[in-house]
Structure formats: structure tokens, C-alpha cells
Coordinates of all heavy atoms in Angstrom, one line a residue:
L494 N 51.7 99.1 114.3 CA 52.9 99.5 115.0 C 52.6 99.6 116.5 O 51.6 100.0 116.9 CB 53.2 101.0 114.5 CG 53.7 101.1 113.1 CD1 53.7 102.6 112.7 CD2 55.0 100.5 112.8
G495 N 53.6 99.2 117.2 CA 53.6 99.4 118.7 C 52.8 98.6 119.6 O 53.0 98.5 120.8
G496 N 51.8 97.8 119.0 CA 51.0 97.0 119.8 C 50.2 97.7 120.9 O 50.0 97.2 122.0
I497 N 49.6 98.8 120.5 CA 48.8 99.6 121.4 C 47.4 99.2 121.2 O 46.8 99.3 120.1 CB 49.0 101.1 121.2 CG1 50.5 101.5 121.5 CG2 48.1 101.9 122.1 CD1 50.8 102.9 121.1
K498 N 46.7 98.8 122.3 CA 45.3 98.4 122.2 C 44.4 99.6 122.0 O 44.7 100.7 122.5 CB 44.9 97.6 123.4 CG 45.6 96.2 123.4 CD 45.2 95.4 124.6 CE 45.9 94.1 124.5 NZ 45.8 93.4 125.8
G499 N 43.4 99.4 121.3 CA 42.4 100.4 121.0 C 41.6 100.0 119.8 O 41.7 98.9 119.2
S500 N 40.7 100.9 119.4 CA 39.9 100.6 118.2 C 40.7 100.4 117.0 O 41.6 101.3 116.7 CB 38.9 101.8 118.0 OG 38.1 101.5 116.9
G501 N 40.6 99.3 116.3 CA 41.4 99.0 115.1 C 41.4 97.6 114.7 O 40.3 97.0 114.8
T502 N 42.5 97.0 114.4 CA 42.6 95.7 113.8 C 42.6 94.7 115.0 O 43.4 94.8 115.9 CB 43.9 95.5 113.0 OG1 43.9 96.5 112.0 CG2 44.0 94.2 112.4
N503 N 41.8 93.6 114.8 CA 41.8 92.5 115.8 C 43.0 91.6 115.5 O 43.3 91.2 114.4 CB 40.5 91.7 115.8 CG 39.4 92.4 116.4 OD1 39.6 93.1 117.5 ND2 38.2 92.4 115.9
R504 N 43.7 91.3 116.6 CA 44.9 90.4 116.5 C 44.9 89.4 117.7 O 44.4 89.8 118.8 CB 46.2 91.2 116.6 CG 46.4 92.2 115.5 CD 46.9 91.5 114.3 NE 47.2 92.5 113.3 CZ 47.1 92.2 112.0 NH1 46.9 91.0 111.6 NH2 47.4 93.1 111.1
R505 N 45.5 88.3 117.6 CA 45.7 87.4 118.7 C 46.9 87.9 119.5 O 47.9 88.3 119.0 CB 46.0 86.0 118.1 CG 46.0 84.9 119.1 CD 45.8 83.6 118.4 NE 45.9 82.4 119.3 CZ 45.0 82.0 120.1 NH1 43.8 82.7 120.2 NH2 45.2 81.0 120.9
T506 N 46.7 87.8 120.8 CA 47.7 88.4 121.7 C 47.8 87.5 123.0 O 46.9 86.8 123.4 CB 47.4 89.8 122.1 OG1 48.4 90.3 123.0 CG2 46.1 89.9 122.9
R507 N 49.0 87.4 123.5 CA 49.2 86.7 124.8 C 49.1 87.7 125.9 O 49.7 88.7 126.0 CB 50.6 86.1 124.8 CG 50.8 85.2 126.1 CD 52.2 84.6 126.1 NE 53.2 85.6 126.4 CZ 53.6 86.0 127.7 NH1 53.0 85.4 128.7 NH2 54.5 86.9 127.9
E508 N 48.3 87.3 126.9 CA 48.1 88.1 128.1 C 48.4 87.1 129.3 O 48.3 85.9 129.2 CB 46.7 88.6 128.2 CG 46.3 89.5 127.0 CD 47.0 90.8 127.0 OE1 47.6 91.2 128.0 OE2 47.0 91.5 125.9
V509 N 48.6 87.7 130.5 CA 48.7 86.9 131.7 C 47.5 87.3 132.5 O 47.3 88.4 132.9 CB 50.1 87.2 132.4 CG1 50.1 86.4 133.7 CG2 51.3 86.9 131.5
R510 N 46.7 86.3 132.8 CA 45.5 86.4 133.6 C 45.6 85.4 134.8 O 45.8 84.2 134.6 CB 44.3 86.1 132.8 CG 44.1 86.9 131.5 CD 43.5 88.2 131.8 NE 43.2 88.9 130.5 CZ 43.6 90.1 130.2 NH1 44.2 90.9 131.2 NH2 43.4 90.7 129.0
N511 N 45.5 85.9 136.0 CA 45.6 85.1 137.2 C 46.9 84.2 137.2 O 46.8 83.0 137.5 CB 44.4 84.2 137.4 CG 43.1 85.1 137.5 OD1 43.1 86.1 138.3 ND2 42.1 84.7 136.9
G512 N 48.0 84.8 136.7 CA 49.3 84.1 136.7 C 49.5 83.1 135.6 O 50.5 82.4 135.6
K513 N 48.5 83.0 134.7 CA 48.6 82.1 133.6 C 48.6 82.8 132.2 O 47.8 83.7 132.0 CB 47.5 81.0 133.6 CG 47.6 80.2 134.9 CD 46.5 79.1 134.9 CE 46.6 78.3 136.1 NZ 45.8 77.1 136.1
S514 N 49.4 82.3 131.3 CA 49.4 82.8 129.9 C 48.1 82.3 129.2 O 47.8 81.1 129.3 CB 50.6 82.3 129.1 OG 51.8 83.0 129.6
V515 N 47.4 83.3 128.6 CA 46.3 82.9 127.8 C 46.4 83.7 126.5 O 47.0 84.8 126.4 CB 44.9 83.3 128.5 CG1 44.8 82.5 129.8 CG2 44.9 84.8 128.9
Y516 N 45.8 83.1 125.5 CA 45.8 83.8 124.2 C 44.3 84.2 123.9 O 43.4 83.5 124.1 CB 46.3 82.9 123.1 CG 47.8 82.6 123.3 CD1 48.3 81.6 124.1 CD2 48.7 83.5 122.6 CE1 49.6 81.4 124.2 CE2 50.1 83.3 122.8 CZ 50.5 82.3 123.6 OH 51.9 82.1 123.8
E517 N 44.2 85.5 123.5 CA 42.9 86.0 123.2 C 43.0 87.0 122.1 O 44.1 87.4 121.7 CB 42.3 86.7 124.5 CG 43.2 87.8 125.0 CD 42.8 88.3 126.4 OE1 42.4 87.4 127.3 OE2 42.8 89.5 126.6
N518 N 41.9 87.3 121.5 CA 41.8 88.3 120.5 C 41.6 89.7 121.1 O 40.8 89.8 122.0 CB 40.8 88.0 119.4 CG 41.1 86.8 118.7 OD1 42.3 86.5 118.3 ND2 40.1 85.9 118.4
A519 N 42.2 90.7 120.6 CA 42.1 92.1 121.1 C 42.2 93.0 119.9 O 42.9 92.7 118.9 CB 43.1 92.4 122.2
A520 N 41.6 94.2 120.0 CA 41.7 95.2 119.0 C 43.0 96.1 119.3 O 43.2 96.5 120.4 CB 40.5 96.1 119.0
F521 N 43.7 96.4 118.3 CA 44.9 97.2 118.4 C 44.8 98.4 117.5 O 44.3 98.3 116.3 CB 46.2 96.4 118.0 CG 46.5 95.4 119.0 CD1 46.0 94.1 119.0 CD2 47.4 95.6 120.0 CE1 46.3 93.1 119.9 CE2 47.8 94.7 121.0 CZ 47.2 93.5 120.9
K522 N 45.2 99.6 117.9 CA 45.1 100.8 117.2 C 45.9 100.7 115.8 O 46.9 100.1 115.8 CB 45.7 102.0 118.0 CG 44.8 102.4 119.1 CD 45.3 103.6 119.8 CE 45.0 104.9 119.1 NZ 43.7 105.2 118.8
N523 N 45.3 101.3 114.9 CA 45.9 101.5 113.5 C 46.5 102.9 113.4 O 45.8 103.8 113.9 CB 44.9 101.2 112.4 CG 44.3 99.8 112.4 OD1 45.0 98.9 112.7 ND2 43.1 99.7 112.1
F524 N 47.6 103.0 112.8 CA 48.3 104.3 112.6 C 48.6 104.4 111.1 O 49.0 103.5 110.5 CB 49.5 104.4 113.4 CG 49.3 104.3 114.9 CD1 49.5 103.2 115.6 CD2 48.8 105.5 115.6 CE1 49.2 103.1 117.0 CE2 48.6 105.4 117.0 CZ 48.8 104.2 117.7
N525 N 48.5 105.6 110.6 CA 48.7 105.9 109.2 C 50.2 106.2 108.9 O 50.6 106.1 107.7 CB 47.9 107.1 108.8 CG 46.4 106.8 108.8 OD1 46.0 105.8 108.4 ND2 45.6 107.7 109.4
S526 N 51.0 106.4 109.9 CA 52.4 106.7 109.7 C 53.2 106.4 111.0 O 52.6 106.4 112.1 CB 52.6 108.1 109.3 OG 52.3 109.0 110.3
I527 N 54.5 106.3 110.9 CA 55.4 106.2 112.0 C 55.3 107.4 112.9 O 55.3 107.3 114.1 CB 56.8 105.8 111.6 CG1 57.6 105.4 112.8 CG2 57.5 107.0 110.9 CD1 57.4 104.1 113.3
D528 N 55.1 108.6 112.3 CA 55.0 109.8 113.1 C 53.7 109.8 113.9 O 53.7 110.3 115.1 CB 55.0 111.1 112.1 CG 56.4 111.3 111.5 OD1 57.4 110.9 112.1 OD2 56.4 112.0 110.5
E529 N 52.6 109.4 113.3 CA 51.4 109.3 114.1 C 51.5 108.4 115.2 O 51.1 108.7 116.4 CB 50.2 108.9 113.1 CG 48.9 108.9 113.8 CD 47.8 108.4 112.9 OE1 48.0 108.3 111.6 OE2 46.7 108.1 113.4
Y530 N 52.1 107.2 115.0 CA 52.3 106.3 116.1 C 53.2 106.9 117.2 O 52.9 106.8 118.4 CB 53.0 105.0 115.6 CG 53.7 104.2 116.6 CD1 53.0 103.5 117.6 CD2 55.1 104.2 116.7 CE1 53.6 102.8 118.6 CE2 55.8 103.6 117.7 CZ 55.0 102.9 118.7 OH 55.7 102.2 119.7
A531 N 54.3 107.5 116.8 CA 55.3 108.0 117.8 C 54.6 109.1 118.6 O 54.8 109.1 119.8 CB 56.5 108.6 117.1
N532 N 53.9 110.0 118.0 CA 53.2 111.1 118.7 C 52.2 110.5 119.7 O 52.1 110.9 120.9 CB 52.5 112.0 117.8 CG 53.5 112.9 117.1 OD1 54.6 113.2 117.5 ND2 53.1 113.3 115.9
H533 N 51.4 109.5 119.3 CA 50.5 108.9 120.2 C 51.2 108.2 121.3 O 50.7 108.2 122.5 CB 49.6 107.9 119.4 CG 48.6 107.2 120.3 ND1 47.4 107.8 120.7 CD2 48.6 106.0 120.9 CE1 46.7 107.0 121.5 NE2 47.4 105.9 121.6
H534 N 52.2 107.4 121.0 CA 52.9 106.7 122.1 C 53.5 107.6 123.1 O 53.5 107.3 124.3 CB 54.0 105.8 121.4 CG 54.5 104.7 122.2 ND1 55.8 104.3 122.3 CD2 53.8 103.8 123.0 CE1 55.9 103.2 123.1 NE2 54.7 102.9 123.5
V535 N 54.1 108.7 122.7 CA 54.7 109.6 123.7 C 53.6 110.2 124.5 O 53.7 110.3 125.8 CB 55.5 110.7 122.9 CG1 55.9 111.9 123.9 CG2 56.8 110.1 122.3
S536 N 52.5 110.6 123.9 CA 51.4 111.1 124.7 C 50.8 110.1 125.7 O 50.5 110.4 126.8 CB 50.2 111.6 123.8 OG 50.6 112.6 123.0
L537 N 50.7 108.9 125.2 CA 50.3 107.8 126.1 C 51.2 107.6 127.3 O 50.7 107.5 128.5 CB 50.2 106.5 125.3 CG 49.7 105.2 126.0 CD1 48.2 105.4 126.4 CD2 49.9 104.0 125.2
L538 N 52.5 107.5 127.1 CA 53.4 107.3 128.2 C 53.5 108.5 129.1 O 53.9 108.3 130.2 CB 54.8 106.9 127.6 CG 54.8 105.5 126.9 CD1 56.2 105.3 126.3 CD2 54.4 104.4 127.9
N539 N 53.2 109.6 128.6 CA 53.3 110.8 129.4 C 52.0 111.1 130.1 O 51.9 112.1 130.9 CB 53.7 112.0 128.5 CG 54.4 113.1 129.3 OD1 55.0 112.8 130.3 ND2 54.2 114.3 128.9
S540 N 51.0 110.3 129.9 CA 49.7 110.5 130.6 C 49.8 110.2 132.1 O 50.7 109.6 132.5 CB 48.6 109.6 129.9 OG 48.9 108.2 130.2
K541 N 48.8 110.6 132.8 CA 48.8 110.4 134.3 C 48.8 108.9 134.6 O 49.4 108.5 135.6 CB 47.5 111.0 134.9 CG 47.6 112.5 135.0 CD 46.4 113.0 135.7 CE 46.5 114.5 135.8 NZ 45.3 115.1 136.6
R542 N 48.2 108.0 133.7 CA 48.2 106.6 134.0 C 49.6 106.0 134.0 O 49.9 105.2 134.9 CB 47.4 105.9 132.9 CG 47.5 104.4 133.1 CD 46.6 103.6 132.1 NE 46.8 102.2 132.3 CZ 46.1 101.3 131.5 NH1 45.3 101.7 130.6 NH2 46.3 100.0 131.8
Y543 N 50.5 106.4 133.1 CA 51.8 105.8 133.0 C 52.9 106.7 133.7 O 53.8 106.2 134.3 CB 52.2 105.5 131.6 CG 51.3 104.4 131.0 CD1 50.4 104.8 130.0 CD2 51.3 103.1 131.5 CE1 49.5 103.8 129.5 CE2 50.5 102.2 131.0 CZ 49.6 102.5 130.0 OH 48.7 101.6 129.5
N544 N 52.7 108.0 133.5 CA 53.6 109.0 134.2 C 55.1 108.6 133.9 O 56.0 108.8 134.8 CB 53.3 109.0 135.7 CG 53.7 110.3 136.3 OD1 53.8 111.3 135.7 ND2 53.9 110.3 137.6
A545 N 55.4 108.0 132.8 CA 56.7 107.4 132.5 C 57.8 108.4 132.5 O 59.0 108.1 132.8 CB 56.6 106.7 131.2
F546 N 57.6 109.6 132.0 CA 58.7 110.6 131.9 C 58.8 111.5 133.1 O 59.7 112.4 133.0 CB 58.4 111.4 130.6 CG 58.3 110.6 129.4 CD1 57.1 110.6 128.6 CD2 59.4 109.9 128.9 CE1 57.1 109.8 127.5 CE2 59.3 109.1 127.7 CZ 58.1 109.1 127.0
N547 N 58.1 111.3 134.1 CA 58.1 112.3 135.2 C 58.8 111.7 136.4 O 58.3 111.4 137.5 CB 56.6 112.6 135.6 CG 55.9 113.4 134.5 OD1 56.5 114.1 133.8 ND2 54.6 113.1 134.4
G548 N 60.1 111.6 136.3 CA 61.0 111.2 137.4 C 60.9 109.7 137.6 O 60.1 109.0 137.1
G549 N 61.8 109.2 138.5 CA 61.9 107.8 138.8 C 62.4 107.0 137.6 O 63.0 107.5 136.7
N550 N 62.1 105.7 137.7 CA 62.6 104.8 136.7 C 61.5 104.6 135.6 O 60.4 104.2 135.9 CB 62.8 103.4 137.4 CG 63.4 102.4 136.4 OD1 62.6 101.9 135.6 ND2 64.6 102.0 136.6
F551 N 61.9 104.9 134.4 CA 60.9 104.9 133.2 C 60.3 103.5 133.2 O 59.0 103.4 133.1 CB 61.7 105.2 132.0 CG 60.9 105.0 130.7 CD1 60.1 106.1 130.3 CD2 60.8 103.8 130.0 CE1 59.3 106.0 129.1 CE2 60.1 103.7 128.9 CZ 59.3 104.8 128.4
I552 N 61.0 102.5 133.2 CA 60.5 101.1 133.0 C 59.5 100.8 134.2 O 58.4 100.3 134.0 CB 61.6 100.1 132.9 CG1 62.3 100.3 131.6 CG2 61.0 98.6 133.0 CD1 63.6 99.4 131.4
S553 N 59.9 101.1 135.4 CA 59.1 100.9 136.5 C 57.8 101.6 136.5 O 56.7 101.1 136.8 CB 59.9 101.3 137.8 OG 59.1 100.9 138.9
N554 N 57.8 102.9 136.0 CA 56.6 103.7 135.9 C 55.7 103.1 134.8 O 54.4 103.1 135.1 CB 56.9 105.1 135.5 CG 57.6 105.9 136.6 OD1 57.6 105.5 137.8 ND2 58.2 107.0 136.3
V555 N 56.2 102.6 133.7 CA 55.4 102.0 132.7 C 54.7 100.7 133.2 O 53.5 100.5 133.0 CB 56.2 101.8 131.4 CG1 55.5 100.9 130.4 CG2 56.6 103.1 130.8
V556 N 55.5 99.9 133.9 CA 54.9 98.7 134.4 C 53.9 98.9 135.5 O 52.8 98.3 135.4 CB 56.1 97.8 134.9 CG1 55.5 96.6 135.7 CG2 57.0 97.3 133.8
K557 N 54.1 99.9 136.4 CA 53.1 100.2 137.4 C 51.8 100.7 136.8 O 50.8 100.5 137.3 CB 53.7 101.3 138.3 CG 54.7 100.7 139.3 CD 55.2 101.9 140.2 CE 56.4 101.5 141.0 NZ 57.1 102.6 141.6
G558 N 51.9 101.4 135.6 CA 50.7 101.9 135.0 C 49.9 100.8 134.3 O 48.8 101.1 133.8
G559 N 50.4 99.6 134.2 CA 49.7 98.5 133.6 C 49.8 98.3 132.1 O 49.0 97.8 131.5
Y560 N 51.0 98.8 131.6 CA 51.2 98.7 130.2 C 51.2 97.3 129.6 O 50.8 97.1 128.5 CB 52.6 99.4 129.9 CG 52.8 99.7 128.4 CD1 52.2 100.7 127.8 CD2 53.6 98.8 127.6 CE1 52.4 101.0 126.4 CE2 53.8 99.0 126.3 CZ 53.2 100.1 125.7 OH 53.5 100.4 124.4
A561 N 51.6 96.4 130.4 CA 51.6 95.0 130.0 C 51.1 94.1 131.1 O 51.2 94.4 132.3 CB 53.0 94.5 129.6
T562 N 50.5 92.9 130.8 CA 50.0 92.0 131.8 C 51.0 91.0 132.3 O 50.8 90.4 133.3 CB 48.7 91.3 131.3 OG1 49.1 90.5 130.1 CG2 47.6 92.3 131.0
D563 N 52.1 90.9 131.5 CA 53.1 89.9 131.9 C 53.9 90.4 133.1 O 54.5 91.4 133.0 CB 54.0 89.7 130.7 CG 55.0 88.5 130.9 OD1 55.3 88.2 132.0 OD2 55.4 88.0 129.8
P564 N 53.9 89.6 134.2 CA 54.7 90.0 135.3 C 56.2 90.1 135.1 O 56.9 90.7 135.9 CB 54.4 89.0 136.4 CG 53.9 87.8 135.7 CD 53.3 88.3 134.4
N565 N 56.7 89.5 134.0 CA 58.1 89.6 133.7 C 58.4 90.7 132.7 O 59.6 90.8 132.3 CB 58.5 88.2 133.1 CG 58.5 87.1 134.1 OD1 58.9 87.3 135.2 ND2 58.0 86.0 133.7
Y566 N 57.5 91.5 132.4 CA 57.7 92.6 131.4 C 58.8 93.5 131.8 O 59.6 93.9 131.0 CB 56.4 93.4 131.3 CG 56.4 94.4 130.1 CD1 56.4 93.9 128.8 CD2 56.4 95.8 130.4 CE1 56.4 94.8 127.7 CE2 56.4 96.7 129.3 CZ 56.4 96.2 128.0 OH 56.4 97.1 127.0
S567 N 58.9 93.9 133.1 CA 60.0 94.8 133.5 C 61.3 94.2 133.4 O 62.3 94.8 132.9 CB 59.8 95.3 134.9 OG 59.8 94.3 135.8
N568 N 61.4 92.9 133.7 CA 62.7 92.2 133.5 C 63.1 92.1 132.0 O 64.3 92.3 131.7 CB 62.6 90.7 134.0 CG 62.4 90.7 135.5 OD1 62.9 91.6 136.2 ND2 61.8 89.6 136.0
L569 N 62.1 91.9 131.1 CA 62.4 91.9 129.7 C 62.9 93.2 129.2 O 63.9 93.3 128.5 CB 61.2 91.5 128.9 CG 61.3 91.5 127.4 CD1 62.3 90.5 126.9 CD2 59.9 91.2 126.8
L570 N 62.2 94.3 129.6 CA 62.6 95.6 129.2 C 64.0 96.0 129.8 O 64.8 96.6 129.1 CB 61.6 96.7 129.6 CG 60.3 96.7 128.9 CD1 59.4 97.9 129.4 CD2 60.5 96.8 127.4
N571 N 64.2 95.7 131.0 CA 65.5 96.0 131.6 C 66.7 95.2 130.9 O 67.7 95.7 130.7 CB 65.5 95.6 133.1 CG 64.9 96.7 133.9 OD1 65.3 97.9 133.8 ND2 64.0 96.4 134.8
S572 N 66.4 94.0 130.5 CA 67.4 93.2 129.8 C 67.7 93.8 128.4 O 68.9 93.9 128.0 CB 66.8 91.7 129.6 OG 67.7 91.0 128.8
I573 N 66.7 94.2 127.7 CA 66.9 94.9 126.4 C 67.6 96.2 126.6 O 68.6 96.5 125.9 CB 65.5 95.1 125.7 CG1 64.9 93.8 125.3 CG2 65.7 96.0 124.5 CD1 63.4 93.9 124.9
Y574 N 67.3 96.9 127.6 CA 68.0 98.2 127.9 C 69.5 97.9 128.2 O 70.3 98.6 127.6 CB 67.3 98.9 129.1 CG 68.1 100.1 129.6 CD1 68.0 101.3 128.9 CD2 69.0 100.0 130.6 CE1 68.7 102.4 129.3 CE2 69.7 101.1 131.0 CZ 69.6 102.3 130.3 OH 70.3 103.4 130.7
K575 N 69.8 96.9 129.0 CA 71.2 96.6 129.3 C 71.9 96.2 128.0 O 73.1 96.6 127.9 CB 71.3 95.6 130.3 CG 70.9 96.1 131.7 CD 70.9 94.9 132.7 CE 70.3 95.4 134.1 NZ 70.1 94.4 135.0
Q576 N 71.3 95.4 127.2 CA 71.9 95.0 125.9 C 72.3 96.2 125.0 O 73.4 96.3 124.5 CB 71.1 94.0 125.1 CG 70.9 92.7 125.8 CD 70.0 91.8 125.0 OE1 69.6 92.1 123.9 NE2 69.6 90.7 125.6
I577 N 71.3 97.1 124.9 CA 71.6 98.3 124.1 C 72.6 99.2 124.8 O 73.5 99.7 124.1 CB 70.2 99.1 123.9 CG1 69.3 98.2 123.0 CG2 70.5 100.4 123.3 CD1 67.9 98.8 123.0
H578 N 72.5 99.4 126.1 CA 73.4 100.4 126.8 C 74.8 99.9 126.8 O 75.7 100.6 126.8 CB 72.8 100.5 128.2 CG 73.5 101.6 129.0 ND1 74.7 101.4 129.7 CD2 73.3 102.9 129.1 CE1 75.1 102.5 130.3 NE2 74.2 103.5 129.9
N579 N 75.0 98.5 126.8 CA 76.3 98.0 126.9 C 76.9 97.7 125.5 O 78.0 97.1 125.4 CB 76.3 96.7 127.7 CG 76.0 96.9 129.2 OD1 76.3 98.0 129.7 ND2 75.4 96.0 129.8
S580 N 76.2 98.1 124.4 CA 76.7 97.8 123.1 C 77.8 98.8 122.7 O 77.8 99.9 123.0 CB 75.6 97.9 122.0 OG 74.6 97.0 122.4

């Protein structure tokens, strides 16, 4: 669930390194339930690194914290947000 990196299952993932897409293996956290995932995710996004819930633009705060390596990540999230908001 969630694609959160950490000790767990190894998966192939796309990252952007030096402006280029590369595929590599990385460990992703395993969760025993959706509740366990949700609690961890909220804690992660509320940490000092992401500061996502503490004022400003949520998406911008998450991107600044380094949640994803893709430079287009904020555009993708904003596009999804607009689609949901305008439904």
C-alpha cells in the first residue's frame, strides 16, 4: 500500500536521477492493514521533513520534502486534484 519506501518488499520502481528516468529496485514498507498504512502515512506527511499539513499548499510542501524524485510529480498531483475537485 502507498508506495512508501522502507524495510519491506523489494519492488522495481521508476526514479528520476539527474533528469533521466531510471528503473531500480527498492524496498517498500509492508503494512498489515489499511489502518496501519493510513496512520503511518499521516504521521509521515506531518513530520518535519514534509510539513504537509502545516499551512501553505499541501502538494507543494510534499514535493519540497522530496516525497518523489519525478520533477513532474506536483503537476501530476495537481491534475488529479483538479479532476476530483471538478467532479
